[in-house]
Amino acid sequence: MTTDVGATVHAFLTAKREEQVRFLAELIKVPSDNPPGDCAPHAGRAAQLLEGLGYAVERHAVPEDLVKANGMISATNLIVRRTFGTGGPTIALNAHGDVVAPGEGWTVDPYAATIKDGWMYGRGVAVSKSDFASYTYALMALDELARQGAALNGTVELHLTYDEEVGGEIGPRWLLDQGLSKPDYAVSAGFSYGIVTAHNGCLHLEVEVRGKSAHAALPATGIDALEAATVILGWLYQHRAGYAATVSAVPGIGSPQLTVGLISGGINTNVVPDRITFRLDRRLIPEEQGATVEATLRQVIAAAAAERPEATVTVRRILLAEPLKPIAGTDRLTETISRHASRILGEPVAAKGVPIYTDARHYAAAGIPTVLYGAGPHTIEEANAHRADERLPLSDLYKATEVMALTLVDFLTA
């Protein structure tokens, strides 16, 4: 990349900052909470904004039965394809437009895109509507270079999807399974001060314990499902205590985790409970495989259930998301982004892992080198991600956009 190219990109994006902020604000103003997951209206607005910038937008509506099977009301995924020159790689930039519900505790309207002291506030402003804006304007910078005669060869695709908050099965995975895109590289939404090359996986299991109801005056005539469930929970917590001895070699990941997050059951205070159901969340570190982890947990549950053979225990898998791991080609993405980000942000920006899981894993599972990078502060806590007063420093939006534009230039001029 020549100095002239870098200067052109910087000057173009600097001139577009107010427009980019308005673009992001319009995305914040349209709710896309998931659940309930009625996200087609937001996709419609995003498509309008992109078309207003001169891009052709493909609208890929996910079939209604598949949407409902994934607990949503509507989902339309968007693709923008921009080809420069001939040959070259295809790079997909993926961000999700569905967001968690605002919840309580906000000091501003979560859909107003309020700006205070250089920060924009709003649900989804950091996770990850911000990267609708960063990726779109990075692509616009390439268009400007092309207009000025830069020799670019390759294709940039924007993949704007709407199911990350419920697992990503009908977003990136659906686009890939349908053969709608076959990129050589992928960058998914992230923050500006780290390049995520690995993240945890997640296993959700539902455990149902069935007994027999009885009057509380004669409990011995029933089978207490809660008592049996308590035994199983005790075994699971004892098993969890051993996780601390296993630490991932990937910085930022830590140890495996297990949480029982939901429990329900019982009929009334004066009735022996005949049915208890609980759900557990098991976080997998990148060194683990989902099938092995699930088999181990099922063994623990079966051993515990054997102590209360009068009860019936069934286990059902709800979700299995494998961890994201670096594959061949990931290092090139990482090194290129790191070089530009470290210079533009004025501090080292390196590869790391995070203990969450995202829909970026679907690209890697398809053999596509994938990292997470985008607009956001140093940490999700600083952004108030998934909390009240979610916020984004606009300076990080500008910087991340420039980083992504220059990264794309490097890939399309190699």
Side-chain angles (χ1 to χ4, degrees), residues 203-218:
L203 171 67
H204 287 176
L205 296 179
E206 181 181 83
V207 181
E208 181 184 69
V209 182
R210 285 194 173 272
K212 178 182 177 182
S213 62
H215 197 290
L218 298 168

Side-chain angles (χ1 to χ4, degrees), residues 25-33 41-43 45 97 111 123 129:
E26 288 300 308
L27 295 171
I28 301 303
K29 291 175 183 178
V30 180
S32 51
D33 304 349
H42 190 277
R45 181 60 178 140
Y111 303 114
R123 175 53 84 223
K129 294 178 180 181

Side-chain angles (χ1 to χ4, degrees), residues 302-348:
E307 293 191 359
R308 293 291 187 274
E310 65 277 12
T312 302
V313 178
T314 57
V315 180
R316 180 169 68 97
R317 181 204 290 176
I318 303 298
L319 167 73
L320 175 57
E322 295 287 354
L324 174 69
K325 307 173 187 179
I327 62 176
T330 302
D331 54 349
R332 185 182 174 202
L333 276 172
T334 303
E335 291 164 3
T336 306
I337 294 173
S338 176
R339 183 174 70 257
H340 293 301
S342 298
R343 178 181 62 81
I344 291 170
L345 277 73
E347 63 181 76

Side-chain angles (χ1 to χ4, degrees), residues 23-337:
F23 178 91
L24 176 56
E26 288 300 308
L27 295 171
I28 301 303
K29 291 175 183 178
V30 180
S32 51
D33 304 349
N34 192 11
D38 189 8
C39 295
H42 190 277
R45 181 60 178 140
Q48 290 175 350
L49 293 170
L50 289 162
E51 288 167 342
L53 295 173
Y55 291 112
V57 182
E58 300 174 17
R59 295 165 169 83
H60 297 284
V62 181
E64 183 178 358
D65 58 343
L66 191 55
V67 171
K68 290 182 177 179
N70 282 269
M72 294 179 61
I73 298 170
S74 68
T76 299
N77 298 314
L78 308 178
I79 298 179
V80 171
R81 306 180 203 263
R82 177 70 171 93
T83 297
F84 300 88
T86 58
T90 296
I91 304 171
L93 307 179
N94 166 240
H96 67 92
D98 63 318
V99 300
V100 298
E104 298 180 354
W106 287 74
T107 61
V108 296
D109 183 342
Y111 303 114
T114 302
I115 298 175
K116 297 192 301 182
D117 301 323
W119 294 69
M120 182 182 286
Y121 288 74
R123 175 53 84 223
V125 71
V127 184
S128 68
K129 294 178 180 181
S130 54
D131 286 325
F132 277 42
S134 65
Y135 296 162
T136 296
Y137 278 76
L139 177 56
M140 289 175 64
L142 266 65
D143 283 324
E144 177 63 19
L145 289 174
R147 279 191 291 269
Q148 296 191 20
L152 304 175
N153 294 289
T155 298
V156 177
E157 296 182 352
L158 304 182
H159 293 183
L160 308 179
T161 55
Y162 284 90
D163 76 326
E164 201 274 346
E165 299 298 350
V166 293
E169 298 295 321
I170 58 173
R173 180 175 178 178
W174 186 78
L175 292 178
L176 296 171
D177 287 350
Q178 295 296 308
L180 295 169
S181 178
K182 296 180 180 179
D184 299 297
Y185 299 92
V187 180
S188 287
F191 281 3
S192 304
Y193 295 86
I195 305 159
V196 175
T197 58
H199 66 52
N200 277 355
C202 183
L203 171 67
H204 287 176
L205 296 179
E206 181 181 83
V207 181
E208 181 184 69
V209 182
R210 285 194 173 272
K212 178 182 177 182
S213 62
H215 197 290
L218 298 168
T221 63
I223 299 172
D224 192 330
L226 180 56
E227 182 180 10
T230 302
V231 173
I232 296 171
L233 289 168
W235 275 64
L236 286 170
Y237 288 134
Q238 184 178 16
H239 174 72
R240 182 180 69 177
Y243 289 169
T246 301
V247 180
S248 174
V250 179
I253 294 290
S255 299
Q257 304 292 336
L258 186 149
T259 300
V260 177
L262 287 173
I263 186 167
S264 63
I267 299 171
N268 201 356
T269 308
N270 60 352
V271 180
V272 173
D274 63 344
R275 178 177 177 271
I276 299 293
T277 300
F278 64 86
R279 289 190 178 188
L280 63 87
D281 176 303
R282 169 64 158 85
R283 297 302 166 110
L284 289 67
I285 62 175
E287 291 86 350
E288 295 182 307
Q289 293 184 340
T292 302
V293 169
E294 181 174 352
T296 299
L297 285 175
R298 286 178 177 272
Q299 290 169 2
V300 171
I301 293 167
E307 293 191 359
R308 293 291 187 274
E310 65 277 12
T312 302
V313 178
T314 57
V315 180
R316 180 169 68 97
R317 181 204 290 176
I318 303 298
L319 167 73
L320 175 57
E322 295 287 354
L324 174 69
K325 307 173 187 179
I327 62 176
T330 302
D331 54 349
R332 185 182 174 202
L333 276 172
T334 303
E335 291 164 3
T336 306
I337 294 173

